[in-house]
Amino acid sequence: EGRMADERSRLQRGTIARLHGRPKHGLIVRGWIGATEIAFDARDLDGVGFEQLHVGQAVEFYLASSPTGLRATGVRIIDEQP
């Protein structure tokens, strides 16, 4: 539990893997091989609208527990421009 608590408090990075418009939710993937999918919905976004997201987009987020497993919170787009 201690290691997981440390991971939850750290800013994570991932990529939008799937988006579903109704209800507004999606999945973020971390890593490439054996990637973990982490759910989020429109309420979990920070400074970005759901309509601004697209598959393949890089995002930052924090991990939180939910009744169904891990969830992404504070999801925001990573500005990859130099």
Side-chain angles (χ1 to χ4, degrees):
E1 180 66 31
R3 185 175 148 217
M4 190 61 198
D6 289 344
E7 187 174 350
R8 287 184 194 140
S9 65
R10 284 197 322 258
L11 193 59
Q12 307 287 314
R13 288 184 173 227
T15 305
I16 301 291
R18 286 188 253 170
L19 293 169
H20 305 281
R22 294 190 190 270
K24 294 180 178 179
H25 69 279
L27 294 172
I28 296 170
V29 67
R30 294 188 302 171
W32 297 103
I33 299 171
T36 302
E37 290 186 335
I38 303 156
F40 72 95
D41 65 35
R43 297 171 294 183
D44 299 313
L45 300 177
D46 181 15
V48 61
F50 189 84
E51 294 76 16
Q52 295 173 275
L53 299 176
H54 58 83
V55 172
Q57 193 166 39
V59 293
E60 293 178 326
F61 59 94
Y62 293 96
L63 292 174
S65 293
S66 77
T68 58
L70 287 178
R71 161 168 226 85
T73 63
V75 178
R76 59 182 176 247
I77 298 169
I78 297 174
D79 184 8
E80 295 185 326
Q81 298 178 16

